[in-house]
Amino acid sequence: MTRRWTITSLLLLLIYVCSRSANAQTQIPEQTNTIDLEAALPEPRAYIPDSQYLDFVYHNHEELTRFLRATSARYPNLTALYSIGKSIQGRELWVLVVSSSPYEHMLGKPDVKYVGNIHGNEPVGRELLLHLIQYLVSSYETDQYVKWLLDNTRIHIMPSMNPDGYAVSKEGTCDGGQGRYNARGFDLNRNFPDYFKQNNKRGQPETDAVKDWISKIQFVLSGSLHGGALVASYPYDNTPNARICRSSALCAMFQTYSAAPSLTPDDDVFKHLSLVYAKNHAKMSRGVACKSATPAFENGITNGAAWYPLTGGMQDYQYVWYGCMEVTLEISCCKYPPAYELRKYWEDNQLSMIKFLAEAHRGVQGFVFDNNNNPIERASLKIKGRDVGFQTTKHGEFWRILLPGYYKLEVFAEGFAPREIEFVVVEQHPTLLNVTLTPSKRTEGSLPISQLYRPVPGPPPHLYRPPTPGYSGDSGLFSSITSGLNNLYSNLFG
């Protein structure tokens, strides 16, 4: 395809090149893939799955496994299948990588992911992720947008995080809790460590497997697919109750359900990511309520805590602990709609699912080296004024999704002098920024970086956090009532 360059595009490219040359400290290593400009690509084409390989029906765990294995065998150059663990009842927690480099990490190529079916009775996302897999692998040679995405991104797709819950769910059930929980009766999206409160719920095999998974792979962007509403919900999901109601557990119980946003330092980015999904969706951005008794959402997005607070959610955990930006995608008013409606859900979500993943290429990315050009692993980074940090991979790589603007990057690593680098982000072009750190001169009695920059207990010490909000914990009867109301609300609305 011949690319047409406008004067605006050339000016943006010139700004980008100037900012890159002004900030680069070393030469970027040779990369297998070069990121093309997304703006120069045609939109992804509409896609109709081949029913010979995947029809619009619900697939049980055995059928899901056969499809993933068959796809991996049929497309060995684009896919790699692995399991991150097993459910309580012994079902594999499958993940399929879809990329032009599925078996190995390529330098500068971000890892992104989708997770479906964390609530077993919300399986629309489970099926859409299977169709997304087929769409990507079968369109690679014919769709330029898909080819660009797979050449420059490693996409990890987990269709079902809760296969045991799905096994006892019932098709056609729009509300209720049957199948929502794992085989031990735990809500997996309330089972992660929490930034605002101590989560005393016993860790489950499924959540432990996910925690181990995301500790090993530096995910930049993630979407978790749910059902029961039509909205893109972004962090924080929880809120510091102490700031709302300090004196009474009963007051705190009722205040839990007030519409109080709990905003992250990256609120602008999370709103943007949510809008990317909602506006590319066939219906979500209209903000229409699923039922008369349920809320409507302006532009189809909401802050999680402003909708209803929850403790132990997956998206807050990934953001605070590992700097991964995850959005919860509620994609069906009915939790478990009849199978004949799945084609409609695919048509509604196809473009959103692709465009959302492409946002991993927005913002800043680069490498951190020592002065011998060796990569520095686990260097701590943060954008000044955005006190949730991230870190480098073993290859010294980093990524951060940011909107256009001027920023300062703060970089720390054990044994090195800290640095602060200014850079600019422009629309559509990721800013490539390489940083060289020099050895620090330690003075007797000085503390290591890991102790100097550990602001709160709990999360890993290598990451920055905003100061922990004050919290007056609930207890006893009122805590139980609050928990019960939270579960009821979740069962009804997502």
Side-chain angles (χ1 to χ4, degrees):
M1 180 190 78
T2 302
R3 292 178 179 167
R4 292 176 295 182
W5 294 87
T6 65
I7 293 176
T8 302
S9 297
L10 290 171
L11 287 174
L12 288 174
L13 184 59
L14 179 61
I15 294 171
Y16 159 67
V17 171
C18 290
S19 67
R20 178 181 174 185
S21 61
N23 291 288
Q25 303 299 318
T26 62
Q27 292 295 315
I28 191 166
E30 184 177 346
Q31 299 182 33
T32 302
N33 298 299
T34 301
I35 297 178
D36 290 328
L37 302 178
E38 182 193 355
L41 294 168
E43 289 290 288
R45 293 204 304 266
Y47 170 77
I48 301 176
D50 185 346
S51 60
Q52 178 181 352
Y53 297 99
L54 187 69
D55 206 351
F56 285 105
V57 297
Y58 289 106
H59 298 81
N60 63 30
H61 187 72
E62 291 71 26
E63 293 165 338
L64 179 148
T65 300
R66 283 199 297 271
F67 169 76
L68 294 177
R69 285 176 169 163
T71 302
S72 184
R74 189 180 180 200
Y75 298 94
N77 296 325
L78 291 176
T79 62
L81 181 62
Y82 65 97
S83 171
I84 65 168
K86 292 186 178 182
S87 68
I88 290 168
Q89 296 179 344
R91 295 180 174 93
E92 298 285 354
L93 302 176
W94 292 117
V95 177
L96 190 76
V97 181
V98 186
S99 176
S100 61
S101 55
Y103 288 96
E104 58 181 345
H105 176 76
M106 302 299 291
L107 288 179
K109 194 169 183 176
D111 288 277
V112 301
K113 65 182 172 67
Y114 274 128
V115 176
N117 206 201
I118 187 171
H119 293 139
N121 64 338
E122 299 172 11
V124 173
R126 169 190 177 108
E127 295 303 324
L128 293 194
L129 290 178
L130 296 183
H131 284 282
L132 178 64
I133 289 168
Q134 189 186 14
Y135 169 38
L136 293 174
V137 296
S138 61
S139 301
Y140 179 74
E141 298 294 346
T142 58
D143 190 313
Q144 293 184 59
Y145 197 102
V146 171
K147 179 175 174 53
W148 167 82
L149 189 62
L150 268 59
D151 282 347
N152 295 285
T153 324
R154 296 186 77 231
I155 304 169
H156 302 246
I157 298 176
M158 177 188 282
S160 181
M161 184 177 160
N162 187 3
D164 296 351
Y166 172 76
V168 297
S169 301
K170 302 296 182 183
E171 182 177 340
T173 305
C174 289
D175 303 304
Q178 182 177 353
R180 175 184 179 88
Y181 310 102
N182 75 347
R184 289 179 183 156
F186 283 81
D187 187 328
L188 299 181
N189 202 38
R190 309 293 188 274
N191 197 239
F192 288 87
D194 194 271
Y195 172 56
F196 294 98
K197 294 183 182 180
Q198 183 175 351
N199 190 356
N200 294 320
K201 293 183 174 66
R202 182 160 53 103
Q204 298 302 296
E206 297 90 347
T207 47
D208 289 344
V210 169
K211 287 189 288 185
D212 185 60
W213 179 37
I214 63 180
S215 73
K216 294 176 179 177
I217 299 175
Q218 185 85 347
F219 288 111
V220 178
L221 178 65
S222 176
S224 175
L225 277 65
H226 291 244
L230 199 61
V231 65
S233 175
Y234 55 89
Y236 291 117
D237 267 334
N238 210 352
T239 187
N241 284 352
R243 293 182 178 178
I244 301 172
C245 185
R246 297 180 183 276
S247 59
S248 164
L250 180 62
C251 178
M253 176 184 73
F254 287 106
Q255 290 285 359
T256 296
Y257 295 95
S258 65
S262 182
L263 305 182
T264 72
D266 290 291
D267 188 60
D268 59 336
V269 176
F270 276 116
K271 284 179 179 175
H272 169 81
L273 293 172
S274 301
L275 283 169
V276 166
Y277 199 94
K279 289 184 175 180
N280 285 288
H281 189 278
K283 303 180 180 69
M284 190 178 290
S285 64
R286 299 176 193 168
V288 178
C290 285
K291 301 175 185 176
S292 58
T294 60
F297 303 98
E298 185 177 359
N299 296 318
I301 70 172
T302 185
N303 172 260
W307 183 13
Y308 66 94
L310 62 90
T311 298
M314 183 166 67
Q315 69 176 12
D316 284 11
Y317 171 75
Q318 293 190 87
Y319 172 62
V320 176
W321 265 252
Y322 293 101
C324 173
M325 295 189 173
E326 178 168 287
V327 175
T328 297
L329 305 167
E330 301 274 357
I331 57 173
S332 63
C333 288
C334 179
K335 289 178 178 289
Y336 198 159
Y340 66 79
E341 296 183 359
L342 286 174
R343 182 182 294 273
K344 174 192 69 175
Y345 287 114
W346 169 255
E347 293 169 352
D348 288 349
N349 287 274
Q350 174 192 335
L351 186 60
S352 292
M353 295 174 80
I354 295 295
K355 288 288 192 175
F356 181 80
L357 293 179
E359 290 300 306
H361 299 286
R362 173 186 295 277
V364 63
Q365 63 186 74
F367 294 80
V368 177
F369 300 107
D370 63 21
N371 51 10
N372 293 317
N373 212 34
N374 297 313
I376 299 177
E377 181 179 3
R378 293 187 178 275
S380 296
L381 305 96
K382 78 162 185 173
I383 305 300
K384 193 167 186 176
R386 297 171 181 252
D387 293 327
V388 170
F390 49 107
Q391 65 177 145
T392 57
T393 68
K394 66 180 180 180
H395 305 292
E397 306 154 287
F398 68 89
W399 296 264
R400 193 64 167 183
I401 302 172
L402 295 166
L403 301 186
Y406 292 90
Y407 300 92
K408 290 182 180 179
L409 178 69
E410 297 180 345
V411 187
F412 296 87
E414 191 73 51
F416 294 89
R419 285 203 59 187
E420 185 176 286
I421 304 99
E422 295 183 355
F423 65 97
V424 62
V425 170
V426 297
E427 187 69 29
Q428 298 294 347
H429 306 285
T431 298
L432 304 181
L433 179 64
N434 298 326
V435 182
T436 298
L437 297 184
T438 57
S440 61
K441 296 179 181 180
R442 290 286 299 276
T443 59
E444 187 174 351
S446 62
L447 293 174
I449 292 293
S450 59
Q451 294 184 38
L452 285 171
Y453 299 96
R454 185 172 185 175
V456 298
H462 57 266
L463 296 183
Y464 288 87
R465 307 260 146 1
T468 305
Y471 169 64
S472 299
D474 303 328
S475 60
L477 172 63
F478 295 125
S479 177
S480 300
I481 296 174
T482 303
S483 178
L485 285 174
N486 199 334
N487 288 336
L488 175 62
Y489 197 91
S490 300
N491 290 340
L492 290 174
F493 304 127

